[in-house]
Amino acid sequence: MTPAEHTTPEQLRHDAEEAATGFPALMAAADQLAATISLGAHGRRRSGPGDEFWQYRIAGAGDSLRDIDWRRSARADADFVRQMEWQNLQAVHLWIDRSAAMGYRGQDSLPTKGERARILGLATAILLAKGGESVGLMEDPNPPKHGRGQITKMAMRLAATGGKTEYGVPPGKDMGRGNRALLISDFLGDWDHVLAALSRAADQRVQGCLVQVLDPSEESFPFDGRTIFQSMGESISFETRRARALRDDYLARLAERKDQLDSLARRTGWMYLCHHTDQPAQAALMWIYNAIAGPSR
């Protein structure tokens, strides 16, 4: 996308109008998807060092007298310990690819890659926010923040017009050590850019996961005979009379790219998932949440 300092007033107005149009649907879909995942009574909350009260528990062996809440204990026949909520929560940075390539879908009955990516990303942010995490988009120079207001800002930005580039590139951002990141894309662009982004994150001691979103037709290559292949940004066009002859080479290159992503994730301590737009979004969301919200690896 054009840097903010070079964006024209007309482009800003267009983006704002489009965001206002797409925002309610995106937010509703993400809320609905997030609601299918149960976090339990306290989500990710647990006892530990912190300033916020969590719960009382009955005192047991190993508890010192200074740990007992005498006021609460006076109202019962047992001694109670006041537990505070563990607050060593993570900041999570998200990148959801909005390049032209993510606008592809092989069938009208399926969502585009970009639609699925945005819903998965925003639903993940909603779940993390419910668990007390701070979340934010990698293209936002501000640090991740807590609360529903932050979710609304993220949704507005994701609903706006995407970039005009053919393929997305994860933005470089300084992330704190111990933070986590989620990158969602088709990852079919320049490999060097993906490698550079993951290497930068690894150098900052950031863990996370890569979610590759593909249309099923990109996996099966159902094309035959005379076919014109054109990129979503229309800058690349290729015509052939023997599309079927390209199938084996194409599938081999796609398999190589998936292997590269999986290998890179393993080397950097990240996790990798390939998700197809004809698969249930709930299964992918559960995988992402467990990968991001789970214990440090």
Side-chain angles (χ1 to χ4, degrees):
M1 179 177 287
T2 306
E5 61 269 25
H6 299 307
T7 303
T8 64
E10 291 76 13
Q11 182 63 46
L12 287 172
R13 184 165 56 251
H14 178 270
D15 289 353
E17 291 173 351
E18 183 158 333
T21 301
F23 162 73
L26 173 59
M27 182 64 90
D31 273 328
Q32 184 176 10
L33 177 58
T36 65
I37 307 297
S38 174
L39 302 183
H42 298 290
R44 296 189 62 216
R45 294 173 63 188
R46 68 199 71 177
S47 64
D51 299 322
E52 298 293 330
F53 169 74
W54 181 27
Q55 65 180 8
Y56 290 108
R57 66 169 174 80
I58 296 178
D63 290 320
S64 67
L65 291 178
R66 67 181 181 181
D67 293 329
I68 295 176
D69 188 300
W70 296 107
R71 180 177 298 181
R72 173 66 181 85
S73 300
R75 303 198 305 268
D77 295 329
D79 292 333
F80 285 87
V81 171
R82 183 183 180 93
Q83 285 187 305
M84 311 308 286
E85 183 178 351
W86 182 68
Q87 294 183 344
N88 187 24
L89 297 175
Q90 308 287 343
V92 183
H93 306 259
L94 296 88
W95 175 63
I96 293 88
D97 188 353
R98 294 186 296 135
S99 64
M102 297 299 287
Y104 176 74
R105 62 180 165 194
Q107 300 178 30
D108 291 340
S109 59
L110 295 177
T112 67
K113 294 186 291 185
E115 289 169 347
R116 177 57 58 85
R118 287 191 293 273
I119 289 175
L120 283 176
L122 190 59
T124 299
I126 291 171
L127 290 177
L128 292 170
K130 285 182 178 179
E133 307 280 15
S134 57
V135 294
L137 297 176
M138 289 183 67
E139 57 264 39
D140 185 349
N142 298 309
K145 298 179 181 178
H146 299 273
R148 185 68 178 184
Q150 175 71 349
I151 297 297
T152 300
K153 291 178 182 178
M154 293 173 64
M156 289 290 289
R157 190 156 192 165
L158 291 174
T161 303
K164 302 303 180 183
T165 58
E166 287 289 0
Y167 297 100
V169 178
K173 183 177 184 179
D174 291 331
M175 298 178 281
R177 180 170 182 167
N179 286 183
R180 299 199 176 185
L182 168 63
L183 309 184
I184 308 179
S185 172
D186 59 7
F187 295 110
L188 297 180
D190 190 315
W191 174 249
D192 289 341
H193 291 153
V194 178
L195 179 61
L198 264 292
S199 298
R200 177 183 174 87
D203 289 342
Q204 298 180 61
R205 300 296 190 269
V206 172
Q207 292 184 332
C209 56
L210 304 173
V211 177
Q212 184 179 31
V213 177
L214 297 175
D215 185 272
S217 66
E218 293 177 311
E219 289 276 14
S220 62
F221 198 83
F223 310 106
D224 197 4
R226 182 177 180 273
T227 305
I228 298 176
F229 295 98
Q230 188 173 62
S231 62
M232 295 302 296
E234 300 183 357
S235 66
I236 305 171
S237 182
F238 175 75
E239 181 177 357
T240 179
R241 296 182 181 277
R242 301 172 62 245
R244 179 63 58 175
L246 304 176
R247 186 173 187 273
D248 290 345
D249 286 344
Y250 165 82
L251 293 179
R253 294 188 65 179
L254 178 61
E256 180 183 13
R257 175 55 57 93
K258 292 167 69 175
D259 287 343
Q260 287 176 317
L261 289 167
D262 185 50
S263 177
L264 178 60
R266 291 176 185 274
R267 292 200 310 270
T268 54
W270 283 43
M271 300 178 70
Y272 163 73
L273 172 71
C274 182
H275 172 70
H276 301 148
T277 55
D278 62 342
Q279 296 173 333
Q282 183 182 8
L285 177 60
M286 178 65 79
W287 183 95
I288 294 170
Y289 181 76
N290 288 333
I292 292 292
S296 298
R297 297 179 293 281

